[in-house]
Amino acid sequence: MGNRIADLFGIQYPIIQAGMVWASGWRLASAVSNAGGLGIIGAGSMYPQVLREHIVKCKLATNKPFGVNVPMLYPDIEKLMAIIVELDVKIVFTSAGNPKTWTSYLKDRGITVVHVVSSVKFAQKAEEAGVDAIVAEGFEAGGHNGRDETTTLTLIPAVKEKISIPLIAAGGIATGRAMLAVMVLGADGVQVGSRFVASNEASSHPLFKQKVVEAGEGATQLTLRELTPVRLIKNKFYNDIQKAYAGCATVEELRALLGRARAKKGMFEGDMEEGELEIGQVAALIHEIKPAAQIVMDMMEEFTHAKADVQHL
Ligand SMILES: Cc1cc2nc3c(=O)[nH]c(=O)nc-3n(C[C@H](O)[C@H](O)[C@H](O)COP(=O)(O)O)c2cc1C
């Protein structure tokens, strides 16, 4: 395809399956890589030993490139990085932190490094830190989000203006048409999260996958801006947050309400009431749970048709 992202990773299609807590283990990552995209193991919800097992299993399940996503908030991050190096993982996506902290360490060990940002300022910092590519994520995305609340439509051309390394767009992309749109805006490839949550191979709980399929317009909201802003489905837990805001809760009270393991409770254990259910606005366009390979193929087919469709414009 002669594409900078496909060439950088040695993959067929410039579709990256986002690293996602409680959703993207070795099954999903290897299925996407085998289908010609780039699968990513989400290490953020894994103990170091669990990550080790997922990397080993992923290597057995695919001989194609795959990566690991490491959110820099992870408390035992040194242990994760040591395992990544020891097991010879070739691609690391870092997020939620300063790109300077780990980029040279990883690059010195021959690893391709990509950093996730939600603003032009941090895109430039990441480029200065020496990363190989950037994911720019708009605030319609599922999961943790930027404070500036810039949409993908605005963010991608703004980042493109200021950086020269390959650019991956994320946030609101679940179809081939959306993929074409962000590539017209300057992206070299896409990172897709929510769409892959509703895949057969995602490790998310079946009830959560079903909830994603049922989510319509307006089903998600960005909240907890005082802690780490997160986009989630409006369920009982979300309503409890709203009540806390109405009662002028302090940051400490919000933190106590969030508590520990909320995301695991919802997305992995299937508690649709009390759990945190991270998903993007694009859930409204997801109508069925499909095999990951089918998602990749459908996106590429729609992308090709959409490109032909706009020839006449
Ligand atoms: C359930 C879920 C968990 C996520 N976990 C992570 C994570 O651990 N690390 C990360 O960098 N991004 C995480 N994200 C964000 C994704 O990597 C991706 O950038 C985002 O989902 C793209 O937007 P979309 O959901 O509209 O496709 C998560 C997203 C979702 C939906």
Side-chain angles (χ1 to χ4, degrees):
M1 187 172 201
N3 167 282
R4 291 207 292 173
I5 286 299
D7 292 348
L8 177 66
F9 299 129
I11 55 176
Q12 202 177 349
Y13 310 122
I15 297 178
I16 290 131
Q17 162 256 309
M20 295 179 286
V21 287
W22 305 116
S24 64
W26 70 271
R27 274 199 185 83
L28 179 57
S30 59
V32 172
S33 290
N34 283 334
L38 183 72
I40 300 190
I41 296 171
S45 50
M46 296 179 181
Y47 289 118
Q49 189 53 30
V50 175
L51 174 64
R52 176 185 290 280
E53 285 163 22
H54 277 262
I55 294 172
V56 170
K57 285 181 177 163
C58 201
K59 285 192 165 185
L60 290 172
T62 184
N63 54 14
K64 302 269 177 66
F66 71 92
V68 174
N69 169 264
V70 183
M72 289 200 224
L73 302 164
Y74 191 94
D76 256 347
I77 192 162
E78 291 79 9
K79 288 192 185 147
L80 292 190
M81 294 303 192
I83 289 170
I84 284 167
V85 171
E86 182 200 324
L87 296 184
D88 200 25
V89 172
K90 301 276 189 241
I91 302 165
V92 170
F93 279 45
T94 54
S95 56
N98 184 344
K100 279 197 187 139
T101 323
W102 284 99
T103 300
S104 332
Y105 171 90
L106 294 168
K107 289 213 51 93
D108 289 350
R109 287 156 182 81
I111 295 172
T112 299
V113 183
V114 180
H115 189 65
V116 184
V117 302
S118 54
S119 71
V120 174
K121 188 171 115 190
F122 281 99
Q124 287 174 301
K125 283 195 172 173
E127 187 173 44
E128 277 162 33
V131 302
D132 297 283
I134 281 166
V135 175
E137 188 198 63
F139 108 118
E140 49 275 77
H144 291 123
N145 243 296
R147 293 191 181 278
D148 293 339
E149 305 192 1
T150 310
T151 61
T152 305
L153 195 74
T154 306
L155 182 64
I156 299 307
V159 170
K160 179 71 186 173
E161 244 178 49
K162 299 288 182 190
I163 65 157
S164 56
I165 55 176
L167 172 60
I168 300 161
I173 303 157
T175 64
R177 286 186 179 272
M179 178 175 167
L180 178 65
V182 291
M183 289 177 77
V184 169
L185 292 174
D188 300 287
V190 293
Q191 173 168 286
V192 176
S194 297
R195 177 57 272 195
F196 283 112
V197 170
S199 68
N200 296 359
E201 294 86 350
S203 56
S204 14
H205 194 281
L207 288 175
F208 178 40
K209 294 184 191 181
Q210 193 52 36
K211 192 98 177 158
V212 173
V213 168
E214 286 162 11
E217 188 187 49
T220 74
Q221 186 71 45
L222 192 77
T223 188
L224 293 177
R225 292 174 174 80
E226 298 76 2
L227 307 177
T228 311
V230 62
R231 178 172 298 283
L232 39 72
I233 288 183
K234 296 178 190 167
N235 61 352
K236 176 177 178 297
F237 169 57
Y238 171 80
N239 291 335
D240 290 345
I241 299 171
Q242 292 309 102
K243 280 185 204 146
Y245 278 124
C248 300
T250 62
V251 171
E252 286 68 35
E253 283 164 343
L254 290 173
R255 195 166 283 125
L257 175 59
L258 175 63
R260 304 195 70 200
R262 274 279 177 190
K264 181 182 186 189
K265 190 188 269 256
M267 299 191 284
F268 196 64
E269 295 172 349
D271 187 334
M272 296 296 101
E273 298 297 317
E274 300 292 342
E276 180 182 321
L277 304 175
E278 300 177 14
I279 208 73
Q281 287 184 345
V282 79
L285 293 177
I286 299 171
H287 307 306
E288 56 174 325
I289 299 163
K290 291 197 272 194
Q294 190 70 47
I295 293 172
V296 174
M297 289 309 138
D298 287 353
M299 279 189 74
M300 283 314 299
E301 200 184 315
E302 192 184 297
F303 174 81
T304 308
H305 285 141
K307 225 161 103 180
D309 284 353
V310 296
Q311 293 297 319
H312 65 282
L313 293 180

